[in-house]
Amino acid sequence: MKTGADLRKYNFRACVVLPRSWRSVVIAYLSLAPVRIGYKNALREFLLTASMPRDRFLTRHRVEYYTGLLSLLGADTAPTI
């Protein structure tokens, strides 16, 4: 609770929740960031403003797993190599 409240003073515009834990998504929610994105997991997506299914990225490298979320923000996530 305290961590989420402490984050409010920074007025974040967006929060990307990388861990799959409930704790992480609750902290993001309590930060009051208007945009909170993460993977759907254990019915926690109701605390997020946008989410995507994890199964699309489970067999990919961890970098692709995490950057996949950035597509929800409109970022170009195509490999540059």
Side-chain angles (χ1 to χ4, degrees):
M1 298 289 282
K2 182 178 180 340
T3 302
D6 289 343
L7 292 175
R8 284 186 207 139
K9 64 183 173 189
Y10 295 105
N11 296 316
F12 290 114
R13 293 184 299 174
C15 182
V16 179
V17 182
L18 299 177
R20 297 177 300 163
S21 70
W22 267 92
R23 182 176 185 265
S24 299
V25 78
V26 168
I27 289 171
Y29 180 78
L30 292 174
S31 76
L32 300 180
V35 175
R36 297 176 307 278
I37 64 172
Y39 283 108
K40 292 181 180 182
N41 186 44
L43 303 174
R44 67 187 198 143
E45 59 264 15
F46 73 93
L47 296 174
L48 300 167
T49 59
S51 61
M52 74 171 34
R54 290 178 49 228
D55 56 349
R56 286 182 42 200
F57 295 94
L58 285 177
T59 60
R60 296 186 183 176
H61 189 276
R62 188 59 70 183
V63 171
E64 290 175 322
Y65 177 79
Y66 287 142
T67 57
L69 284 175
L70 299 178
S71 66
L72 292 173
L73 292 174
D76 178 13
T77 59
T80 58
I81 298 175

